[in-house]
Amino acid sequence: MSNLIDPVAKALAVSGVLAAGSLAVAHAAPALSALNAVRPWLTPELCGYGDTDHVALTFDDGPDPASTPHFLAELDRAGVRATFFLLGRMLVRDPGLGRELVAAGHEIAVHGYQHRCLLARTPSAVRDDIARARDVIADLTGTQPAWYRPPYGVLTAGALATARELGLTPVLWSTWGRDWTATATPDSVHRTVTRRLAGGGTVLLHDTDCTAAPGSWRSALGALPRLVDTCRARGLRLGPLREHRATAVAPA
């Protein structure tokens, strides 16, 4: 019997390793969409492409009472509305600010409860994080969010399944400002955003430094008026994702 059991045990062990490896690959494969260079070709539906005369303006990581009100004031001056991807843990600290976003006409979306990379979390932890954030946002703002963007733009199979289950549409971005770095300036943010800015695109900025270099939000705030002017000079409307009609087809 031992001659038979040994090879069977070895085969089962090898198949177990292979199965575990396959599961890990399936879990992590959607994370490739976080790479700006490959996303338009691999998963264009995640780029947030929409009508070619419109640009979706989005902000991540808030709301933050130290910085978000400055963005609200600047957006109000410009007559522009945006989509704010909120962290649940930030919203529970200042639910009134979340309601203020809604009252000002901005769109609220889900960025998760904790700002942790999903690749390091189990599928059940990912589901709990997204569902908890969705529920907190709906309860505290009185608005049912429609969009989901993961921390760092890193998706997993579990995150996609959970978003589908909760009625959330995953969306990343087509251009960003790299406004989270310590060396970012209003000029660098505007230059970086507009390098790849096109009608139908989605812009990623941050209205807080809670997960970034201290004070880095000021670079995005300083770039905002110029970004609005640039879009208008190019004949592009600037607004939230709900007005964007995102599709899976990249602009020409």
Side-chain angles (χ1 to χ4, degrees), residues 61-65 84-102 108-110 112-113 132-143 145 210:
D61 294 356
D64 187 336
F84 286 80
F85 284 85
L86 306 185
L87 287 174
R89 68 174 178 85
M90 295 294 286
L91 180 60
V92 296
R93 291 171 48 188
D94 196 336
L97 186 51
R99 291 190 288 270
E100 187 177 344
L101 286 168
V102 173
I108 302 301
V110 177
Y113 195 88
R132 185 182 182 191
R134 192 279 309 264
D135 292 347
V136 162
I137 290 169
D139 290 345
L140 296 183
T141 69
T143 300
C210 72

Side-chain angles (χ1 to χ4, degrees), residues 7-230:
V8 171
K10 289 177 182 178
L12 287 173
V14 170
S15 65
V17 169
L18 291 175
S22 298
L23 288 173
V25 169
H27 169 71
L32 290 172
S33 61
L35 302 175
N36 290 340
V38 303
R39 184 165 57 251
W41 311 105
L42 187 67
T43 54
E45 70 280 2
L46 290 174
C47 290
Y49 293 129
D51 291 343
T52 55
D53 67 340
H54 188 267
V55 170
L57 179 61
T58 70
F59 295 92
D60 282 9
D61 294 356
D64 187 336
S67 52
T68 302
H70 296 286
F71 287 85
L72 281 173
E74 186 56 51
L75 291 168
D76 184 60
R77 275 192 293 271
V80 171
R81 302 295 175 262
T83 300
F84 286 80
F85 284 85
L86 306 185
L87 287 174
R89 68 174 178 85
M90 295 294 286
L91 180 60
V92 296
R93 291 171 48 188
D94 196 336
L97 186 51
R99 291 190 288 270
E100 187 177 344
L101 286 168
V102 173
H106 300 289
E107 184 177 34
I108 302 301
V110 177
H111 197 36
Y113 195 88
Q114 301 286 349
H115 198 280
R116 293 175 55 192
C117 182
L118 302 188
L119 285 177
R121 311 191 75 178
T122 65
S124 61
V126 168
R127 189 199 179 284
D128 289 347
D129 184 87
I130 299 171
R132 185 182 182 191
R134 192 279 309 264
D135 292 347
V136 162
I137 290 169
D139 290 345
L140 296 183
T141 69
T143 300
Q144 285 291 340
W147 308 95
Y148 170 65
R149 176 181 289 158
Y152 309 105
V154 176
L155 283 161
T156 63
L160 290 173
T162 297
R164 210 164 34 239
E165 175 192 343
L166 298 177
L168 299 170
T169 300
V171 63
L172 300 182
W173 57 86
S174 61
T175 187
W176 61 11
R178 296 189 65 84
D179 54 330
W180 60 87
T181 66
T183 58
T185 66
D187 283 345
S188 75
V189 171
H190 179 263
R191 184 171 58 252
T192 304
V193 168
T194 55
R195 185 179 299 138
R196 299 180 63 184
L197 180 67
T202 292
V203 174
L204 164 64
L205 296 173
H206 297 79
D207 61 306
T208 173
D209 59 5
C210 72
T211 65
S216 57
W217 59 268
R218 296 181 185 279
S219 64
L221 181 67
L224 193 51
R226 288 180 59 192
L227 176 59
V228 172
D229 289 345
T230 297

